[in-house]
Amino acid sequence: MAIVWRARAWPFGYRSPHIQGAVKRVGLLILVIALALLVSWRYRIIAGDIKDKVARPQRHGGNAGFAPPPDEGPADCSINVTSLRALQVRLELGEQLEYAERRIEYAVKNMARRPLMKLDQDLLLGDFHTINMSDAPMPARCNPPLKVTIPKSPTPDTVNASEILFGISTTMSRLKDLVTIREWSYWLTDGRGRSNGAGLVLLLVDATTTEAEELQVLLNEVGISAEVHLAGKKTEMAERYLSLIPKLHDSRLNVHRRWLALCDDDTFFPSMHGLLANLRQHNHSTPHYIGALSEDIHSVERHGSQAFGGAGVFLSLPLASIISRIYSDCSSSSAIAAADSGWGAQGDILLRRCIYENTEVRLTTMLGLYQLDITGDASGFYESGNKPLSLHHYKGGQWHVATPNEMAKLSRALGEDAFLMRYQTTDDFILSVGYSVAQYPYGIDFDVLQYERTFGAVGDDKGFNFDYVFGPQRKSLSGTGRKIGWQLMQTEVKRNGVVRQVYVRKKDDARWRREGEESEGEGSDGIIVLIWMPG
């Protein structure tokens, strides 16, 4: 919409400069109001789009237990052709598909979360159905459900995270596709467009004042309690990172906080309840510096022994107060030069040196925070049965690719402990909930409690880079024909605790073929649909 002002003759011969000035001021006011309404209207639409994409299950107390689904009448597992066609187009699947569907009936119990649960049941009953998308699939009766138990745990919408104020420095270009903001909304809101109590101080690089104001509106609309600042154009990356601490400390959002946290724009916290439980083991009224080393020993050797920011760094308020007072000394040109590890000045190094050279505080490591300095196929990490408190480096480039926001959605119905739990069935499948379904055609004859070394290291990979965190890893089964995987592509949280997950195997995925075996263009893409229902 364009608003154009045109000069015209004044009626009745009025030429008074006072009248003309008054009219011009009124016109300018109308223009400002119109532009403000236009910006607000635009961002309300975007915010509404993000809200609509966040699952909003109906809860009723407990585990966030859910009411059982209403009587659906005779069991009918007919394939939803419309939904399948949309998935086929989005993922560029072939016309012929190998399809399987299984209902899973879950019971919530007071039990400890285990890295693997063995079931005396098959995951799939019978073979895959071959579906030609040009033909309408025949109606099908449902098989008996697979019955599982899950540990009782809270859901993300019940957390009160008001103890933490987060700080992130990023560029405007990394936020334009809105994916990152959707990810932030998982751990900064209740999933219904309201803040979960946590706050966010955002430091924007290469953004205009207008862009910062528009982003402030958008974040507030989706329920993120945020404060947006502009960074100086010539400020070093390491200095920007350290400058977040005084900004957090002096923020209007720093009310009744216990922890000030630094993280990256690609940091994801899948279990805010778990994170808070771990932080509460420490006395927030004394100086604390909490985080995690990189899992790659050579990253530690390269950059030093400190909290790696992508995993999340947590400072108690007393320590943040000290850093804020000495910030100018800690961010001097000589301090920045000393923070250069050969990869440029590093904010993590600058922070560690500031703390270590001015206080007696040393890093306290927290298990479950992950920097994830891993490359390539990350399935060995996500299929380990681990319960991570943070995830990082999942947006590709030189790192790995994952979709934690999609993966963690089922926690809104099943509770946070269900995320990445593993179930092994008698037909040699292992389900890593929210990540993959893996079949082992020649049997499971390996140690299921060891990580599979599917991933690599940046730079010099000695083979033992990750052993001090993950333990020695078993050899990867990629390219052996001994493993076939379907990876999560879609999660829908429906009413009454029902969750529908779609796992996909692409026919040209070389990981599931023996080395040297050529089958490009042959076979079919595969889909496994799992429907979780409360028992």
Side-chain angles (χ1 to χ4, degrees):
M1 177 177 67
I3 301 176
V4 180
W5 296 94
R6 292 186 175 88
R8 57 178 298 179
W10 292 98
F12 312 112
Y14 291 149
R15 301 289 182 176
S16 167
H18 298 291
I19 295 177
Q20 291 185 32
V23 171
K24 287 180 179 178
R25 285 194 293 273
V26 170
L28 181 61
L29 178 61
I30 292 172
L31 176 62
V32 170
I33 292 173
L35 289 174
L37 289 173
L38 182 62
V39 169
S40 175
W41 171 76
R42 172 192 172 197
Y43 277 94
R44 283 177 187 274
I45 290 176
I46 295 174
D49 177 62
I50 293 178
K51 286 181 184 179
D52 288 343
K53 288 177 168 34
V54 175
R56 304 179 187 180
Q58 296 180 350
R59 297 185 57 258
H60 74 86
N63 179 42
F66 287 78
D71 183 9
E72 298 178 351
D76 180 6
C77 286
S78 298
I79 297 169
N80 186 324
V81 180
T82 303
S83 174
L84 192 59
R85 174 65 74 178
L87 191 71
Q88 178 201 23
V89 172
R90 181 167 69 87
L91 300 179
E92 298 180 345
L93 304 178
E95 278 295 306
Q96 185 170 288
L97 301 172
E98 292 181 354
Y99 182 93
E101 181 173 308
R102 188 73 195 274
R103 296 190 173 197
I104 301 177
E105 185 178 289
Y106 64 90
V108 178
K109 293 189 176 181
N110 285 314
M111 54 183 278
R113 186 187 187 279
R114 299 182 226 161
L116 180 75
M117 295 187 68
K118 293 187 177 182
L119 304 176
D120 190 23
Q121 306 165 70
D122 285 351
L123 176 65
L124 301 182
L125 301 179
D127 295 328
F128 284 81
H129 300 286
T130 300
I131 297 174
N132 193 318
M133 291 300 295
S134 60
D135 300 328
M138 296 294 291
R141 295 283 297 177
C142 295
N143 289 316
L146 179 73
K147 296 192 176 184
V148 304
T149 56
I150 59 173
K152 183 177 181 180
S153 63
T155 52
D157 60 309
T158 63
V159 74
N160 179 356
S162 57
E163 299 173 27
I164 311 176
L165 180 60
F166 290 92
I168 295 175
S169 176
T170 189
T171 64
M172 193 67 199
S173 61
R174 287 176 65 92
L175 303 180
K176 287 190 181 294
D177 65 0
L178 303 181
V179 171
T180 298
I181 294 175
R182 290 191 188 106
E183 291 165 351
W184 291 351
S185 72
Y186 180 89
W187 48 273
L188 288 171
T189 78
D190 66 354
R192 297 177 173 86
R194 296 185 296 267
S195 171
N196 63 7
L200 173 66
V201 172
L202 187 62
L203 185 58
L204 276 182
V205 182
D206 296 332
T208 65
T209 300
T210 300
E211 287 174 325
E213 291 172 350
E214 291 177 349
L215 184 59
Q216 176 81 63
V217 171
L218 172 59
L219 293 171
N220 291 340
E221 285 288 345
V222 301
I224 296 175
S225 177
E227 184 178 283
V228 180
H229 296 265
L230 289 174
K233 292 183 178 179
K234 296 183 179 180
T235 308
E236 284 260 9
M237 180 188 70
E239 185 181 352
R240 286 199 306 269
Y241 180 78
L242 191 67
S243 74
L244 278 168
I245 296 172
K247 282 183 170 59
L248 287 164
H249 185 267
D250 299 337
S251 170
R252 63 178 174 79
L253 299 176
N254 185 16
V255 180
H256 307 303
R257 306 291 181 181
R258 295 182 174 183
W259 303 97
L260 303 184
L262 304 179
C263 62
D264 290 351
D265 63 9
D266 60 341
T267 302
F268 188 88
F269 297 97
S271 176
M272 288 296 285
H273 284 282
L275 176 62
L276 285 163
N278 276 268
L279 286 173
R280 287 167 185 162
Q281 296 177 19
H282 305 280
N283 184 356
H284 64 87
S285 62
T286 59
H288 274 291
Y289 168 46
I290 298 173
L293 303 174
S294 170
E295 305 78 25
D296 185 347
I297 191 65
H298 285 304
S299 290
V300 179
E301 182 181 35
R302 185 183 302 120
H303 299 298
S305 178
Q306 71 236 343
F308 280 65
V313 182
F314 299 86
L315 308 173
S316 63
L317 280 178
L319 180 58
S321 296
I322 294 171
I323 296 170
S324 297
R325 287 198 302 270
I326 60 177
Y327 168 74
S328 58
D329 292 334
C330 290
S331 59
S332 66
S333 57
S334 60
I336 292 172
D340 189 340
S341 62
W343 291 44
Q346 301 294 307
D348 296 336
I349 298 176
L350 195 64
L351 175 59
R352 183 246 299 163
R353 290 178 64 92
C354 181
I355 295 171
Y356 283 21
E357 293 176 6
N358 294 282
T359 76
E360 295 182 355
V361 178
R362 295 298 179 264
L363 174 65
T364 298
T365 56
M366 181 185 290
L367 296 177
L369 298 177
Y370 288 103
Q371 170 75 6
L372 288 186
D373 284 339
I374 60 178
T375 65
D377 178 8
S379 59
F381 171 80
Y382 290 106
E383 294 173 349
S384 66
N386 196 3
K387 180 188 174 183
L389 298 177
S390 68
L391 302 167
H392 181 232
H393 278 159
Y394 52 80
K395 290 183 179 288
Q398 69 174 327
W399 307 111
H400 74 283
V401 176
T403 54
N405 192 41
E406 197 71 24
M407 292 157 55
K409 276 183 183 178
L410 90 165
S411 297
R412 297 192 182 280
L414 277 65
E416 290 181 356
D417 278 0
F419 179 58
L420 297 183
M421 274 190 68
R422 292 188 302 169
Y423 295 95
Q424 179 180 335
T425 58
T426 50
D427 51 350
D428 293 320
F429 281 87
I430 294 180
L431 165 62
S432 298
V433 179
Y435 184 76
S436 70
V437 177
Q439 180 186 24
Y440 300 90
Y442 298 97
I444 299 173
D445 55 357
F446 48 82
D447 186 348
V448 293
L449 298 182
Q450 285 185 319
Y451 285 69
E452 181 185 358
R453 181 62 139 82
T454 61
F455 42 82
V458 173
D460 193 11
D461 191 344
K462 297 289 189 181
F464 56 78
N465 295 43
F466 306 102
D467 289 10
Y468 87 105
V469 173
F470 298 150
Q473 302 101 62
R474 58 186 171 86
K475 189 176 179 181
S476 172
L477 295 179
S478 296
T480 66
R482 295 169 57 196
K483 178 183 179 181
I484 305 170
W486 292 256
Q487 192 160 334
L488 181 82
M489 290 295 170
Q490 182 175 295
T491 302
E492 298 174 88
V493 181
K494 299 178 178 291
R495 299 180 58 191
N496 302 322
V498 175
V499 179
R500 182 178 183 270
Q501 294 183 312
V502 179
Y503 295 81
V504 173
R505 171 191 56 76
K506 299 297 285 286
K507 65 182 179 181
D508 57 356
D509 193 328
R511 290 175 297 171
W512 318 135
R513 301 195 302 267
R514 291 185 179 88
E515 287 186 12
E517 184 180 51
E518 295 293 337
S519 60
E520 190 171 350
E522 299 178 7
S524 304
D525 297 320
I527 291 179
I528 295 178
V529 176
L530 300 180
I531 301 173
W532 298 76
M533 308 176 300

